[in-house]
Amino acid sequence: MFQEFIKERLEELEIPEDKYKEMIDRSVTDRDTTFYGALLRSGVIPQDKVVLQAAEYFQLAVIPDPFKVKVDFETTAHVYGREDKSVDMAAVLKNKQFFVELEGKKVFVIREPENEMERNRLMTMFGKLPTCTVLTDEAYDIISDYQLLPKYYEIMSKAMRPSDIRRARMDADSLRTANSPIEDLLDGLMSAALKRRATDMRIIPLGNANASVWLTVDGKNMFYTTLNSGVLDNLRNVVMNRSGAAVESPDVPVEGKIAFVCNGKNVDIRINVVKSFNGYDFNFRFISTVLRRLEDLGMSTSNLEKYRRILNLTKGLVIISGPTGSGKTSLLYAGFRISLERHLAIYSIEDPVEIVLPGITQVEVNNKQKLTKERLFASALRHRPDIVAFGEIRTLEDAMPAVNFAHTGHPAHATLHANDAIGVISRMTNMGVDPYTLGDTLAAVIAQRLIRRVCPYCGEDYELPADHKWRKMFNLGNGPITLRRGKGCAKCAGTGYLGQMAIDEILLTTPTVREAIQMQKGSKAIREASDFQTYLDDGKEKALAGLTTFDELEDIANDVL
């Protein structure tokens, strides 16, 4: 018996005898628990050690890396199959048993190797007992999250009957009461995205009866699953009901916000649905409501000091720039937290409000109700604010209130999409802002990108080869260089990266920079006049410090050069 096998190794495995007896008692008193199950979840020894002991005793295969095995759904359907011969994923998830491909062999994952009835059932079904294996809870969760659940949602969408889909046409209260299949699908996808730490989820119709679901994790797009595109029309109805968006025409884009609860936490999800040539295209943006400290954003020490000086300015326009998802709002509000410590009155005009910061006045643009930026700015002046934040500058009409407020001797903050710090100046003048006025009012530009951090759980040092292309690309020289990279683990989903950090360009408007702007001397002259640290300079320092990798910087180099 397995328990006798373990008893002979108590000292080797460092299992106290009283704990061993407790596990035997549990397996006797709880008929649903075997000794193996009691040992696996006892916490007395690591689960991977339990799995190795079971593999030796029961002659099981061992899965060294759950990220590198592929679930064999076709063979699994022979054990858990539906009438149409497709795999019954509900049964698979319930029983936690399925086939995987391991080193060219079909291996069956079993939950309890001591379950004689299950082994006999497999022998009857296949004529012999297939090669089996067991998993730690962590390994099962990895395979479930990355293969089983995506397949479950794919089959769920394709198995929906017209009557299931039509139920999504009911009003919001009825939907919640009925718990329609289409809502179960949406809830499952959003929960899976949040578990993966996704910032965005996209559902893209492919024009061939399928739609693909993609997640953005740490700035990288990752394929998740395929859906039946026939559910998209009614998925749009569900999104409209939940967000309260009033859209009469099926061709008009849907914009709104969904309040969602995942693992007991409230999550705000900004949604946008547009009708493309192939059908409805969905984007779900998961809004982080966590107010991060400035020190936690990954700024270098020198850039952190510069930004703190910018926050102390008593006048001038400060623009935070970067592409979508570059952390502009997080940086802005981290700065406002510091400004609030100085008891400054802050008035923020936003479209929409993403992060609620107690202590500042936040108002939301609503063009349908004629609450335009210009009108809200006029109202802001009556509150005698010390700082006004103008949200994102998209047009000349957005830019001028910020420029004019800064021109009166007040600090104004805004965000803008531009390629780099110098590009902000070009964008503002191309919009129609007078160069002389811009030079006179612009105090600073903070341009920011996000790059992935090396996973702290699996990071390892290595020596950069003498002939590596990075030496020339990033001017690293010929000497020995120790860098850091992640091997890939459960914490980082096998990617070697966990989370993101900022790389920044901070352009301060010195007298020479101001003159270059006002005289329209061009980007090269402004760059020479400013002598600031570029994205790549900042990133290079962080890669050499082992915080990120030069792989991440290659993408930035190709984008900004």
Side-chain angles (χ1 to χ4, degrees):
M1 296 176 65
F2 184 55
Q3 65 188 48
E4 296 297 329
F5 177 77
I6 295 297
K7 184 178 181 179
E8 296 175 359
R9 302 185 175 195
L10 291 182
E11 185 175 348
E12 176 189 341
L13 296 173
E14 298 180 349
I15 299 176
E17 190 165 343
D18 60 329
K19 294 293 183 182
Y20 172 75
K21 291 179 179 178
E22 284 181 14
M23 287 179 277
I24 292 179
D25 290 342
R26 184 182 172 191
S27 66
V28 171
T29 57
D30 185 353
R31 69 178 192 177
D32 293 327
T33 301
T34 63
F35 176 78
Y36 167 80
L39 178 61
L40 184 70
R41 294 176 180 86
S42 66
V44 176
I45 62 173
Q47 287 194 353
D48 56 350
K49 283 190 176 181
V50 178
V51 165
L52 289 176
Q53 296 302 312
E56 181 179 345
Y57 179 79
F58 293 104
Q59 296 183 321
L60 306 175
V62 175
I63 295 178
D65 187 348
F67 285 106
K68 294 182 179 178
V69 296
K70 183 179 179 182
V71 176
D72 184 342
F73 292 105
E74 184 177 348
T75 307
T76 301
H78 293 299
V79 182
Y80 301 109
R82 300 162 61 94
E83 291 183 3
D84 61 0
K85 296 185 179 180
S86 65
V87 61
D88 185 346
M89 288 307 302
V92 171
L93 291 167
K94 178 182 178 181
N95 291 282
K96 298 185 177 181
Q97 300 191 143
F98 47 89
F99 275 95
V100 297
E101 295 177 7
L102 180 65
E103 298 177 350
K105 298 180 180 179
K106 297 182 187 298
V107 177
F108 191 65
V109 175
I110 54 176
R111 185 165 52 179
E112 291 283 359
E114 292 184 288
N115 188 330
E116 289 292 335
M117 289 182 61
E118 182 62 27
R119 295 171 71 179
N120 291 335
R121 186 170 81 96
L122 290 172
M123 288 184 67
T124 301
M125 188 174 296
F126 293 99
K128 64 176 182 177
L129 184 66
T131 303
C132 294
T133 187
V134 288
L135 299 173
T136 64
D137 289 340
E138 181 180 77
Y140 171 78
D141 287 342
I142 290 170
I143 295 175
S144 175
D145 290 345
Y146 287 83
Q147 296 190 64
L148 302 182
L149 281 173
K151 189 68 174 180
Y152 172 71
Y153 295 128
E154 175 188 345
I155 292 176
M156 180 182 181
S157 73
K158 292 180 178 179
M160 283 186 184
R161 297 164 298 179
S163 58
D164 294 329
I165 297 174
R166 279 199 298 272
R167 289 172 66 183
R169 299 175 188 269
M170 296 183 289
D171 60 41
D173 290 334
S174 297
L175 279 167
R176 282 192 288 272
T177 301
N179 194 31
S180 66
I182 196 79
E183 277 219 319
D184 287 342
L185 176 64
L186 177 60
D187 288 347
L189 290 173
M190 293 193 298
S191 296
L194 288 165
K195 189 172 183 180
R196 292 268 198 105
R197 302 183 299 106
T199 54
D200 292 84
M201 178 175 74
R202 285 198 66 191
I203 303 176
I204 306 171
L206 303 177
N208 58 355
N210 290 325
S212 60
V213 180
W214 291 78
L215 306 180
T216 303
V217 180
D218 291 338
K220 301 296 182 182
N221 293 325
M222 301 178 179
F223 174 76
Y224 181 70
T225 191
T226 299
L227 301 179
N228 167 20
S229 62
V231 306
L232 298 186
D233 285 12
N234 293 285
L235 188 61
R236 176 179 179 270
N237 294 337
V238 171
V239 168
M240 285 176 56
N241 283 327
R242 286 196 176 186
S243 65
V247 179
E248 296 180 0
S249 171
D251 297 326
V252 175
V254 177
E255 292 188 16
K257 187 182 289 186
I258 293 175
F260 186 62
V261 179
C262 182
N263 294 328
K265 295 182 180 180
N266 295 321
V267 181
D268 288 332
I269 305 174
R270 192 197 304 167
I271 56 98
N272 186 281
V273 186
V274 296
K275 189 171 185 179
S276 69
F277 181 79
N278 289 324
Y280 288 112
D281 189 307
F282 297 74
N283 189 82
F284 299 80
R285 168 66 59 86
F286 303 99
I287 305 298
S288 173
T289 56
V290 177
L291 294 170
R292 302 180 66 185
R293 298 186 312 145
L294 191 58
E295 295 80 3
D296 297 333
L297 300 181
M299 271 189 163
S300 65
T301 303
S302 60
N303 281 337
L304 191 59
E305 291 175 357
K306 286 180 183 178
Y307 189 48
R308 286 184 177 275
R309 291 203 303 270
I310 290 169
L311 294 173
N312 288 326
L313 294 175
T314 58
K315 64 178 181 179
L317 175 61
V318 177
I319 297 178
I320 298 178
S321 172
T324 300
S326 61
K328 298 185 293 294
T329 303
S330 295
L331 178 59
L332 184 69
Y333 277 84
F336 285 165
R337 290 182 67 179
I338 294 174
S339 297
L340 285 175
E341 294 172 1
R342 296 165 50 211
H343 306 293
L344 297 179
I346 304 172
Y347 194 100
S348 180
I349 302 169
E350 305 181 36
D351 183 17
V353 173
E354 291 187 0
I355 300 175
V356 176
L357 177 58
I360 75 173
T361 302
Q362 295 173 270
V363 293
E364 188 166 279
V365 173
N366 189 327
N367 291 319
K368 290 183 179 179
Q369 296 182 10
K370 298 183 180 179
L371 294 175
T372 62
K373 280 190 176 182
E374 186 176 1
R375 186 174 182 182
L376 291 172
F377 171 57
S379 176
L381 295 178
R382 301 186 186 97
H383 289 252
R384 297 183 61 192
D386 297 305
I387 299 172
V388 174
F390 290 86
E392 184 180 336
I393 293 175
R394 300 184 181 97
T395 64
L396 181 62
E397 288 71 24
D398 293 332
M400 290 315 299
V403 171
N404 289 334
F405 184 69
H407 207 251
T408 61
H410 294 83
H413 292 248
T415 63
L416 183 143
H417 285 231
N419 204 37
D420 53 21
I422 302 295
V424 168
I425 297 168
S426 300
R427 278 220 60 195
M428 291 289 283
T429 55
N430 289 339
M431 284 181 191
V433 178
D434 175 62
Y436 190 87
T437 304
L438 180 62
D440 200 37
T441 58
L442 185 66
V445 175
I446 303 99
Q448 180 166 286
R449 299 289 185 98
L450 294 180
I451 54 176
R452 293 183 292 177
R453 294 177 182 264
V454 172
C455 177
Y457 298 97
C458 64
E460 61 179 3
D461 291 340
Y462 73 100
E463 297 300 317
L464 185 68
D467 59 347
H468 201 285
K469 64 177 180 179
W470 290 341
R471 289 184 179 271
K472 182 178 180 181
M473 181 181 292
F474 297 103
N475 297 316
L476 300 180
N478 299 319
I481 296 175
T482 301
L483 300 176
R484 197 161 179 79
R485 62 189 172 195
K487 294 185 293 184
C489 65
K491 297 287 187 181
C492 64
T495 64
Y497 297 96
L498 186 64
Q500 294 176 284
M501 66 190 308
I503 54 173
D504 302 275
E505 296 181 348
I506 298 183
L507 169 64
L508 301 175
T509 310
T510 62
T512 52
V513 170
R514 180 174 294 109
E515 180 186 0
I517 295 172
Q518 293 176 331
M519 300 302 292
Q520 302 182 56
K521 292 184 177 181
S523 299
K524 183 178 179 181
I526 296 172
R527 187 176 296 277
E528 290 173 352
S530 59
D531 190 31
F532 64 88
Q533 187 183 50
T534 67
Y535 288 132
L536 294 181
D537 294 332
D538 190 19
K540 177 179 172 180
E541 289 182 2
K542 289 169 178 173
L544 291 172
L547 301 175
T548 188
T549 68
F550 282 103
D551 280 309
E552 290 291 285
L553 295 185
E554 271 199 68
D555 293 338
I556 301 294
N558 294 332
D559 192 24
V560 301
L561 293 181

